[in-house]
Amino acid sequence: GTHNAITISDDDLRVARKVHLNFMTQKNGIKDKAITQGDVNVPLLSPLKVLCCHVQSLWSLNAVPTTPLYIVFMPTGHPKRVTTLHLTASLRSSCQAISADLNISPREISTKALRAGGACTLLCAKVDPVLIQMAGHWCSWVMMAYLHRSTQDTTGFAQRMYNSGHFKISSH
């Protein structure tokens, strides 16, 4: 059945196969954006598992049922809103821990890169570019052109061009 974070039981939450999120108003001004996330085989990376765990955490802290998902509770018990600045700080801290393996400076990491990075990953996974453009709310193909430039493997293009071409050397 269909439930929400207020009405779902603990048993139903444990066996959920997807989660539907409705963003009332985003920073970019888009209203009522809805997405549905499913499960993946890596629990730490599963949007479904992470959201279910967060809902259970809110329940255990006796948060009011309408508490937004962007709220966390500090050890003092006081709620705190998670912002993009908090997320960037967390990403940079994680990057610092493994920066030698990544060959990237934590200063280069921010939440601003997540949207383009996600789109780039979807493009590499052969997701339809039109779906990526729609999900990202891009009004032009400029972003897709950028992503293609940064992900396109052109190894073998020259050989394919040579094999398919019919060339004549003309004299002028």
Side-chain angles (χ1 to χ4, degrees), residues 57-149:
S57 173
L58 290 172
W59 287 345
S60 73
L61 295 166
N62 296 317
V64 294
T66 55
T67 301
L69 291 175
Y70 58 79
I71 296 293
V72 295
F73 285 85
M74 305 308 292
T76 60
H78 291 94
K80 185 172 184 173
R81 182 184 189 139
V82 177
T83 67
T84 56
L85 293 175
H86 296 123
L87 295 173
T88 293
S90 182
L91 289 169
R92 287 179 177 170
S93 176
S94 297
C95 180
Q96 181 67 40
I98 58 173
S99 61
D101 295 333
L102 295 177
N103 196 24
I104 189 170
S105 167
R107 288 187 311 276
E108 298 177 66
I109 303 294
S110 79
T111 56
K112 292 178 182 178
L114 294 177
R115 186 171 171 223
C120 189
T121 303
L122 290 171
L123 189 63
C124 289
K126 308 285 190 234
V127 171
D128 184 340
V130 173
L131 294 176
I132 298 170
Q133 184 181 12
M134 289 170 53
H137 295 281
W138 287 303
C139 298
S140 74
W141 284 97
V142 172
M143 185 63 178
M144 294 309 295
Y146 164 76
L147 292 174
H148 271 284
R149 261 197 324 271

